[in-house]
Amino acid sequence: MKVLITGAAGFIGSHTAERFKDMGHEVIAIDNFSDYYDVQLKERNASTLSKRGIEVSRLDLRYDPLDQLVSDCHMIVHFAAQPGISASCTFEQYLTNNVIATQRLLTAIEPLQDKPYFINIATSSIYGLHATMTEDQAPLPASWYGVTKLGAEQLVLAYSRRGLLRGCSVRLYSVYGPRERPDKLYTRLIAAGLKDEVFPLYEGSEKHLRSFTYVSDIVDGIVSIIDREEICNGEIFNLGTEEENTTATGIAVVEELLGKTIRKEITPPRPGDQARTCANIDKARRLLDYDPKTTLHQGLQKQIDWYRESFLN
């Protein structure tokens, strides 16, 4: 099977590309190498994929021709997006990267006789400040990120409802692990601990509850859609762990594994940040046999080991 993975030089996209390759599939990988964070980190991921026989092409879904890209693919896994909740990003950046880019990809697929199956990668931010709901409950996004990711998801599902393609959407919960973006909690925390730097902690965030989910458990859920395409068509799935931990607990685990106390500086809270995420995965368990197993201690030890090997050796 030929699989197109967008955003393949990113955190979760690169892990997913490797998994499909390991399963024996042909992987077509693209990324626009956005400078939202250090491009060298994406280039590092692309280099890692290249050593595995996966070449990441530089392509921007917002502007570049897409007809040839999608013409003979069997499946598309669509990660490419403007990620996260950031005051430095404009609404236009979220709109063009998340909605317009997705629409251009769908438009390129529409005239094909044999259309690829479309797996849209969404986020628990769609649910809003308290992401504890089932997939059939009304979402209440509270950030531009959540609003535009919901828009992208509904575009894909609209195509499915109209019979223009087969596809589904997966909403991911608080993913962490090796290659995590530098603006995310654990990469920043681990870097501060290992370099003896001050960690900036958003005011009140230590009380936030999260379904911190290790990246390989997320990839397990994505690839489980293979051979279940029909029952997944038009559906939404939450992918994450049912285990909840506060940010304070996550910080304590990192400090325990590093054997040191990390100095912290309180900074203003982020508008639209979620107070609680708790993945309800009953549907994914039932239809995908989804069963995340990695504990927070296990996953964070792997992320610490990766950080040491990648940046301190």
Side-chain angles (χ1 to χ4, degrees), residues 3-9 17 27-31 49 54-58 69:
V3 182
L4 169 65
I5 298 181
T6 73
V27 176
I28 308 300
I30 65 167
D31 202 290
L49 292 181
I54 305 168
E55 297 300 327
V56 182
S57 299
R58 190 179 295 266
L69 179 71

Side-chain angles (χ1 to χ4, degrees), residues 6-313:
T6 73
F11 166 36
I12 315 171
S14 62
H15 284 282
T16 304
E18 286 180 319
R19 180 71 67 85
F20 273 97
K21 181 73 171 179
D22 289 344
M23 294 171 70
H25 301 295
E26 180 182 356
V27 176
I28 308 300
I30 65 167
D31 202 290
N32 73 348
F33 291 86
S34 162
D35 61 1
Y36 172 68
Y37 60 89
D38 189 352
V39 175
Q40 290 185 347
L41 297 178
K42 287 191 172 185
E43 290 172 345
R44 176 194 289 266
N45 292 343
S47 177
T48 299
L49 292 181
S50 180
K51 293 173 184 175
R52 302 288 303 276
I54 305 168
E55 297 300 327
V56 182
S57 299
R58 190 179 295 266
L59 185 145
D60 196 314
L61 295 174
R62 297 170 296 174
Y63 312 118
D64 293 326
L66 304 178
D67 294 347
Q68 288 298 114
L69 179 71
V70 302
S71 62
D72 59 350
C73 292
H74 301 101
M75 179 173 282
I76 294 175
V77 187
H78 180 42
F79 283 95
Q82 179 64 51
I85 300 171
S86 172
S88 65
C89 292
T90 65
F91 178 75
E92 183 179 7
Q93 287 175 301
Y94 285 110
L95 178 67
T96 57
N97 281 292
N98 297 348
V99 179
I100 303 303
T102 302
Q103 177 59 35
R104 289 195 77 241
L105 190 56
L106 292 167
T107 300
I109 293 168
E110 189 170 348
L112 298 177
Q113 183 173 356
D114 297 317
K115 297 178 176 61
Y117 193 89
F118 199 108
I119 301 176
N120 180 66
I121 305 300
T123 168
S124 67
S125 291
I126 282 173
Y127 289 119
L129 299 178
H130 299 273
T132 61
M133 295 178 278
T134 62
E135 295 89 342
D136 59 355
Q137 291 179 271
L140 300 166
S143 64
W144 290 343
Y145 174 56
V147 166
T148 54
K149 287 296 284 180
L150 176 60
E153 177 181 85
Q154 287 301 310
L155 279 172
V156 175
L157 296 179
Y159 270 69
S160 173
R161 295 177 194 121
R162 293 163 60 193
L164 298 176
L165 56 69
R166 295 181 306 146
C168 62
S169 187
V170 293
R171 296 173 176 172
L172 310 186
Y173 280 72
S174 302
V175 191
Y176 72 98
R179 303 179 199 159
E180 184 185 65
R181 298 197 321 264
D183 59 305
K184 296 282 281 180
L185 170 64
Y186 288 121
T187 296
R188 293 187 299 122
L189 186 63
I190 292 166
L194 291 174
K195 297 177 181 179
D196 196 26
E197 297 174 346
V198 174
F199 173 70
L201 180 65
Y202 296 118
E203 182 181 355
S205 66
E206 70 279 3
K207 298 178 182 178
H208 290 173
L209 281 162
R210 291 285 184 268
S211 285
F212 292 121
T213 310
Y214 189 65
V215 62
S216 66
D217 287 329
I218 290 294
V219 178
D220 286 346
I222 294 169
V223 300
S224 68
I225 295 168
I226 299 172
D227 297 329
R228 296 182 172 94
E229 289 92 343
E230 281 304 322
I231 65 171
C232 294
N233 185 35
E235 299 290 347
I236 298 168
F237 297 96
N238 294 331
L239 296 182
T241 177
E242 295 165 308
E243 178 185 342
E244 284 186 277
N245 286 285
T246 63
T247 299
T249 298
I251 293 171
V253 171
V254 171
E255 291 178 327
E256 174 190 336
L257 294 172
L258 293 179
K260 64 168 64 175
T261 299
I262 298 170
R263 293 179 293 136
K264 305 165 191 71
E265 178 183 30
I266 304 301
T267 61
R270 294 187 301 180
D273 207 355
Q274 293 172 295
R276 184 187 179 199
T277 70
C278 179
N280 184 316
I281 57 173
D282 291 348
K283 183 177 180 180
R285 284 191 185 278
R286 185 175 72 255
L287 297 182
L288 302 178
D289 292 327
Y290 181 58
D291 187 24
K293 297 182 181 300
T294 308
T295 68
L296 189 60
H297 277 77
Q298 291 170 336
L300 286 175
Q301 184 62 66
K302 291 178 182 179
Q303 186 164 345
I304 290 169
D305 293 344
W306 160 78
Y307 193 95
R308 281 191 165 121
E309 181 180 350
S310 299
F311 299 106
L312 299 184
N313 291 336

